[in-house]
Amino acid sequence: MAIPAQFENQLELPIIGAPLFIISTPDLVIAQCKAGIAGSFPALNARPQPELSTWLTRIEDELAAHKEENPNAVIAPYGVNQIVHHSNDRLDADFETIIEHKVPLIITSLGVPEKKYIDRIHEYGGIIMSDVISVRHAKKVISAGVDGLILVCAGAGGHAGTLSPFALVSEVREFFDGPLALSGSIANGQSILSTQALGADFAYLGTAFIATTEANADQGYKDSLVECAASDIVYSSLFTGVLGNYLKPSVKNAGLDPDNLPEADKTKMNFGSGGNTGAKAWKDIWGAGQGTGSIHAVESVADVMARFKREYTGALDNLKHVVRD
């Protein structure tokens, strides 16, 4: 296993809570870290830009106070996601704020982070993990100097790849022995254990935490996750210019046919677009992974984690009975 030193003995389960556009706020991140998993949020969620420093200060102060009140508690590190695509006009300012606060974990998406920022983050001991959907992308960010990879495989919520985790983890492990997180339809304890069996160090979960009381999501969105299953997910590039997974009911509500969606022009990437409608991606068109069938109720993060632990330990016990010496 390749768990970074900063994460040793700071996790109840090997989970990184994925940064969710609009949905991940300090409330969700703090609840995740207190529950013993690494919570994260997109820097772009904090608006206007100076609000990012306010969010980071609140997260740091509340986690420090919780640790002081509960010295034996396992409190996980937190992270911030940076969209490093050229369309992000806040990128430099957000990196400066992140570095000022010495954020423990930085997750980069949709591009290769610049070396000048990688070096400065490494100077204070931060960890940088980049999400990728292919071996080609993985090799590019490794060459740039990132510490770890997040493999976004088939079935992941929001922007996602098409490769099987069995294929991608196996191929990446042939040339990379650093920290590896795996994403794609992971929404129960059995799946979390499976990521480790495949050779990953962390499960990377997003959809399961949208259906929590702390998530900044519309109640209809949360209820839809409880009601839907894998067959209710549609894979399309229409809404942002990048292929991703979305809930069919939200697409229908926008006046579109989820089974007959046009393709978008990738060169005109727009993360706030709802295609040729007045709907907005993420706000009205709801991202979700194929693991939504494992979500049966809207619960607190603490309750979700308690369920994950039961399922994880139960699956581990079952395997011990199956595997023979």
Side-chain angles (χ1 to χ4, degrees), residues 30-294:
I30 291 166
Q32 290 172 321
C33 293
K34 286 182 178 180
I37 66 168
S40 68
F41 69 93
L44 292 174
N45 279 8
R47 302 182 187 191
Q49 197 282 327
E51 187 71 9
L52 178 58
S53 182
T54 302
W55 280 27
L56 295 176
T57 298
R58 180 188 163 196
I59 291 169
E60 292 156 2
D61 288 351
E62 291 199 25
L63 292 180
H66 185 70
K67 184 64 175 178
E68 186 174 352
E69 295 168 4
N70 304 274
N72 296 321
V74 175
I75 302 174
Y78 74 93
V80 175
N81 170 232
Q82 281 280 63
I83 302 295
V84 294
H85 189 265
H86 64 80
S87 62
N88 181 4
D89 59 6
R90 280 181 40 172
L91 185 62
D92 291 335
D94 286 344
F95 261 128
E96 292 298 333
T97 302
I98 285 167
I99 291 167
E100 178 185 351
H101 281 263
K102 296 182 171 60
V103 172
L105 171 65
I106 292 84
I107 297 167
T108 64
S109 305
L110 296 174
V112 179
E114 292 185 70
K115 187 177 186 299
K116 64 180 180 180
Y117 290 125
I118 294 175
D119 290 344
R120 291 175 65 192
I121 290 164
H122 284 162
E123 283 177 8
Y124 69 77
I127 295 293
I128 307 157
M129 298 183 74
S130 290
D131 68 19
V132 300
I133 62 172
S134 69
V135 167
R136 181 176 66 86
H137 292 152
K139 289 182 176 179
K140 284 179 67 175
V141 294
I142 291 169
S143 296
V146 304
D147 303 287
L149 301 173
I150 299 166
L151 306 185
V152 186
C153 295
H159 296 145
T162 58
L163 290 178
S164 161
F166 290 93
L168 192 52
V169 173
S170 178
E171 291 188 25
V172 168
R173 276 303 187 209
E174 289 185 4
F175 60 85
F176 182 68
D177 61 3
L180 202 65
L182 180 60
S183 173
S185 308
I186 303 170
N188 56 42
Q190 297 91 329
S191 299
I192 295 164
L193 180 61
S194 297
T195 65
Q196 294 177 294
L198 282 176
D201 303 292
F202 305 100
Y204 192 70
L205 281 73
T207 303
F209 291 112
I210 300 173
T212 59
T213 54
E214 294 90 347
N216 182 40
D218 185 269
Q219 187 62 42
Y221 190 174
K222 299 179 183 183
D223 293 340
S224 189
L225 289 171
V226 174
E227 297 162 1
C228 288
S231 60
D232 298 300
I233 304 299
V234 60
Y235 189 60
S236 174
S237 65
L238 174 63
F239 306 111
T240 66
V242 179
L243 284 164
N245 286 308
Y246 304 92
L247 286 170
K248 285 184 179 180
S250 68
V251 176
K252 290 179 180 177
N253 289 341
L256 296 169
D257 178 0
D259 298 317
N260 188 30
L261 294 173
E263 291 298 312
D265 182 352
K266 188 177 181 180
T267 64
K268 298 178 181 178
M269 195 179 295
N270 183 347
F271 301 121
S273 171
N276 298 315
T277 75
K280 297 291 185 180
W282 319 119
K283 182 178 184 293
D284 303 306
I285 308 294
W286 297 332
Q290 292 176 3
T292 186
S294 295

Side-chain angles (χ1 to χ4, degrees), residues 267-320:
T267 64
K268 298 178 181 178
M269 195 179 295
N270 183 347
F271 301 121
S273 171
N276 298 315
T277 75
K280 297 291 185 180
W282 319 119
K283 182 178 184 293
D284 303 306
I285 308 294
W286 297 332
Q290 292 176 3
T292 186
S294 295
I295 300 171
H296 302 298
V298 176
E299 305 173 289
S300 68
V301 168
D303 286 340
V304 170
M305 278 297 296
R307 172 170 62 83
F308 283 167
K309 286 181 185 179
R310 291 193 301 270
E311 294 167 343
Y312 181 93
T313 55
L316 188 59
D317 288 341
N318 288 339
L319 282 179
K320 290 176 180 177

